[in-house]
């Protein structure tokens, strides 16, 4: 999509390795380094243009909010559980930081528009879908696949009938 700096944040070194394989130019382990400070340092103090929270927890959303630049966008992709509340952020920070906050369900995808683009990118070798599939399983392996997903052991398990 033309991004020149792609920063991946996680607490799992294996996921950070995967992120580098998929094009991350920088990675930060949030257990070892404050991700907001790291992102600010990599962006000359400006913050990121777009920050995607793929976790959906108040603490990661707050980090995403402060890691973006003043005109940046935070996109909440990780689906929060119904019991979670928005993080405590001073209202003046919402006002003073500007930018945009949004959620994205299923990537705001329009299959009739987007799937042909994904297919074209895949056929051009620019969208390595095969690398996203960690394992192929039978229908009887679905429960184990969910356990592996929750443990962070796989990117995607694909059911083969």
């Amino acid at each position: 999509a033309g991004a020149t700096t792609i920063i991946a944040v996680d607490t799992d070194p294996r996921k950070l390795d995967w992120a580098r394989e998929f094009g991350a130019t920088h990675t930060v382990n949030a257990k070892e380094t404050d991700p907001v400070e790291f992102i600010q340092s990599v962006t000359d103090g400006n913050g990121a243009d777009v920050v995607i929270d793929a976790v959906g927890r108040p603490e990661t959303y707050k980090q995403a909010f402060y890691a973006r630049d003043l005109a940046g966008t935070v996109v909440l992709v990780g689906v929060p559980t119904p019991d979670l509340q928005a993080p405590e952020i001073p209202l003046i920070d919402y006002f003073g930081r500007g930018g945009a906050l949004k959620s994205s369900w299923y990537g705001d995808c329009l299959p009739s528009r987007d799937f042909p683009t994904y297919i074209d990118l895949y056929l051009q070798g620019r969208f390595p879908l095969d690398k996203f599939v960690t394992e192929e399983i039978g229908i009887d392996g679905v429960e184990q696949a969910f356990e592996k997903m929750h443990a962070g052991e796989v990117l995607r398990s694909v059911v083969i009938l």
Side-chain angles (χ1 to χ4, degrees):
T4 57
T5 303
I6 301 170
I7 306 165
V9 178
D10 207 294
T11 57
D12 184 336
R14 179 181 34 218
K15 289 183 180 180
L16 294 172
D17 288 340
W18 285 334
R20 282 188 286 278
E21 284 182 43
F22 286 111
T25 58
H26 300 76
T27 58
V28 58
N29 187 322
K31 284 184 180 177
E32 301 168 357
T33 304
D34 182 307
V36 175
E37 288 180 12
F38 181 83
I39 291 167
Q40 293 290 331
S41 73
V42 170
T43 60
D44 296 324
N46 295 315
D49 295 330
V50 177
V51 180
I52 299 169
D53 177 358
V55 179
R57 298 200 42 84
E59 56 272 25
T60 57
Y61 188 81
K62 187 173 185 177
Q63 289 173 332
F65 179 86
Y66 288 109
R68 70 188 170 103
D69 70 20
L70 294 180
T73 300
V74 172
V75 184
L76 179 61
V77 174
V79 180
T81 59
D83 61 310
L84 294 178
Q85 300 293 315
E88 287 197 29
I89 295 174
L91 198 54
I92 193 67
D93 286 1
Y94 286 102
F95 178 79
R97 295 187 64 83
L101 309 171
K102 65 175 291 206
S103 61
S104 176
W105 185 257
Y106 194 53
D108 289 345
C109 177
L110 295 174
S112 61
R113 176 198 66 199
D114 298 334
F115 285 11
T117 301
Y118 300 150
I119 292 167
D120 287 343
L121 290 171
Y122 174 76
L123 292 173
Q124 294 170 25
R126 296 176 53 206
F127 189 41
L129 287 172
D130 300 337
K131 288 185 177 183
F132 287 92
V133 179
T134 308
E135 65 178 357
E136 295 179 356
I137 60 169
I139 194 72
D140 58 334
V142 170
E143 289 300 320
Q144 292 169 323
F146 273 108
E147 290 173 14
K148 289 179 182 178
M149 180 185 67
H150 288 296
E153 297 172 5
V154 296
L155 287 174
R156 289 285 180 269
S157 301
V158 175
V159 177
I160 304 294
L161 299 176

